[in-house]
Amino acid sequence: MAVQQRVGLAGAAHLELVSGVVQLRPQDAMVEAMLRGWRAQQTARGLREDTIVPRERLVRRFLEFTNEYPWLWSPSHVDEWSLSLVSEKHLAPSTVRAYQGDLRLFSEFLIDGRYGWATECEKAFGTHPVSIVHEWNSIAHLNDYEGDPEARPFTREELQRFLDYADEQVERAVKAKRKGALAAYRDATLLKVIYGWGLRRTETAKLDLVDWGRNPKAPEFGRYGMLHVRYGKAKRGQPPRRRTVASVMGWAVDAVADYVENIRPRFGLPDHPALWVTERGGRIKPAEINARFVAYRDVPGLPDVLSPHSLRHAYVTHLTEDGVDRRFIQVQVGHDCDSSTAIYTHVSDDFMNTALRKAIAPALEPCDTSEGKDR
């Protein structure tokens, strides 16, 4: 009879459990060994410490919530825990989904036969871990839309007011001969770039001068035909995702070109790589973008629900209303699937009414009953 060879995978039970040692609290010792094993498994997969540590912290919180050991967990524990996260802690659905995903990963690690934890639990406690997070008890199945219902894009009128106000601050600073004129011009251009290329706040802050490039299919935009985003939103445990965004709004290209060629050199930092520099010689930070955005939103009396991300939502929505191909928009904003882009899209009533008229118009046309005419 062939003897099954134990696999030496990082995180395997036989690598973490100390044989021949009698534990005073064997259950607690098993839990700690499981967590060490999971850490070793994730480290071997190349995951970073800032990903591994929060995951382990979450599992420990779930342990405290259930007051049960992992080999006694059941799907009902996840149901109760998820309900408490939503109803008591008032966490966003997207946050709950992320927590459930981390818990699923730990559960799948424990029941994976290659690591041997189920076998060790059976020998020690007469039972073993089971799968506890399923489609039917997780947010991913219950909700297709995870966005904040309050989040919405700028309307075109609101966007015009917002950008006009930003430009007015530049004009006022120049007329008053204030020192902050350069910063005001920088900020007005930065906000236009967020909208004009559908960027996230952090992506915008980390742009460098060299990130602009030519697009052979749009020579009219010169050296600003393409924008290389090097610090896109990363998947959990992965490095930042890169993407290239094609320039589509000529007025935004003109604004960037004027800033880069005529304004930025006046900061006196020719060797600094950043696109957005400060008067003290640093790179502008996301928090500073947020602060300037709030000021420019509040003074003209725009709704509080608007955030820097509303500019990105507006980019998707306005391109959709303008008839741009949906797949193109999806690639531009760096979404893996169309459902994510759909969350960003909030087309206006006028657009919906026009689309509806186009859809039903053929059905409302009177039939031609003349004989001999092909239909």
Side-chain angles (χ1 to χ4, degrees):
M1 180 178 178
V3 178
Q4 185 177 6
Q5 184 178 4
R6 292 191 296 182
V7 181
L9 289 176
H14 72 272
L15 298 178
E16 301 297 334
L17 294 172
V18 180
S19 60
V21 177
V22 178
Q23 302 286 349
L24 295 178
R25 299 177 62 88
Q27 293 90 345
D28 293 342
M30 180 68 78
V31 170
E32 293 303 319
M34 287 174 166
L35 289 170
R36 286 197 307 270
W38 194 37
R39 170 181 285 272
Q41 183 240 26
Q42 294 178 91
T43 301
R45 290 169 50 210
L47 299 186
R48 299 181 303 187
E49 189 75 4
D50 58 0
T51 295
I52 298 173
V53 171
R55 286 179 173 178
E56 181 178 331
R57 189 183 305 123
L58 177 75
V59 171
R60 291 187 183 278
R61 289 207 299 264
F62 188 71
L63 279 163
E64 293 176 4
F65 177 86
T66 63
N67 199 29
E68 295 283 5
Y69 295 109
W71 49 92
L72 298 175
W73 288 346
S74 69
S76 63
H77 287 124
V78 177
D79 294 340
E80 296 169 3
W81 174 66
S82 299
L83 180 61
S84 73
L85 295 178
V86 174
S87 62
E88 297 175 14
K89 296 185 179 297
H90 306 291
L91 298 183
S94 57
T95 301
V96 177
R97 182 192 180 191
Y99 286 175
Q100 291 171 338
D102 288 346
L103 193 60
R104 183 201 298 269
L105 291 174
F106 181 65
S107 175
E108 290 176 347
F109 165 71
L110 295 183
I111 66 177
D112 190 329
R114 296 174 299 171
Y115 296 97
W117 291 104
T119 301
E120 293 297 332
C121 288
E122 191 72 46
K123 289 194 302 184
F125 313 117
T127 187
H128 56 81
V130 298
S131 178
I132 59 173
V133 183
H134 305 276
E135 287 189 357
W136 45 265
N137 71 342
S138 61
I139 291 288
H141 180 71
L142 298 176
N143 276 324
D144 290 331
Y145 174 66
E146 297 173 13
D148 182 350
E150 291 295 323
R152 67 166 179 84
F154 280 78
T155 66
R156 293 179 189 264
E157 186 272 335
E158 288 171 339
L159 179 67
Q160 191 65 56
R161 284 172 57 196
F162 179 75
L163 296 181
D164 283 350
Y165 181 80
D167 287 339
E168 288 171 8
Q169 303 319 297
V170 179
E171 295 176 4
R172 290 178 181 177
V174 171
K175 289 180 180 179
K177 298 182 180 180
R178 294 204 312 263
K179 183 179 178 181
L182 293 179
Y185 199 109
R186 175 203 62 204
D187 294 338
T189 309
L190 183 151
L191 295 169
K192 293 171 185 175
V193 166
I194 293 179
Y195 170 73
W197 282 266
L199 303 181
R200 299 177 178 91
R201 186 183 54 176
T202 300
E203 293 172 348
T204 307
K206 293 186 176 181
L207 289 177
D208 285 346
L209 286 167
V210 297
D211 292 334
W212 296 101
R214 297 180 180 274
N215 182 357
K217 295 184 179 180
E220 66 274 19
F221 294 146
R223 58 167 292 200
Y224 304 100
M226 302 289 280
L227 178 59
H228 304 290
V229 179
R230 294 176 294 112
Y231 290 92
K233 185 178 180 180
K235 290 186 177 180
R236 188 176 294 269
Q238 300 296 319
R241 301 172 66 190
R242 298 182 176 225
R243 73 179 186 278
T244 300
V245 185
S247 303
V248 295
M249 301 180 186
W251 63 268
V253 170
D254 291 341
V256 170
D258 188 36
Y259 166 77
V260 172
E261 295 163 16
N262 301 314
I263 304 301
R264 191 191 178 285
R266 297 171 64 181
F267 280 88
L269 300 167
D271 297 326
H272 200 298
L275 177 62
W276 317 111
V277 291
T278 68
E279 292 173 319
R280 294 185 177 182
R283 180 190 295 269
I284 196 167
K285 295 179 174 60
E288 295 171 305
I289 295 176
N290 194 65
R292 183 51 55 95
F293 175 91
V294 170
Y296 284 10
R297 177 200 65 194
D298 291 351
V299 175
L302 294 170
D304 291 345
V305 296
L306 296 174
S307 69
H309 212 61
S310 295
L311 292 169
R312 179 169 157 89
H313 280 246
Y315 172 83
V316 172
T317 298
H318 297 166
L319 289 186
T320 300
E321 292 180 344
D322 291 341
V324 177
D325 180 75
R326 183 61 163 260
R327 174 58 183 165
F328 174 80
I329 299 174
Q330 179 183 332
V331 172
Q332 289 277 94
V333 294
H335 287 158
D336 285 337
C337 55
D338 182 67
S339 60
S340 297
T341 309
I343 292 175
Y344 278 45
T345 309
H346 306 257
V347 295
S348 66
D349 291 340
D350 289 341
F351 175 82
M352 289 296 293
N353 292 335
T354 301
L356 181 61
R357 285 197 298 271
K358 289 181 179 179
I360 67 176
L364 297 178
E365 291 180 359
C367 296
D368 188 344
T369 57
S370 59
E371 296 182 359
K373 186 175 182 179
D374 293 334
R375 298 297 297 168

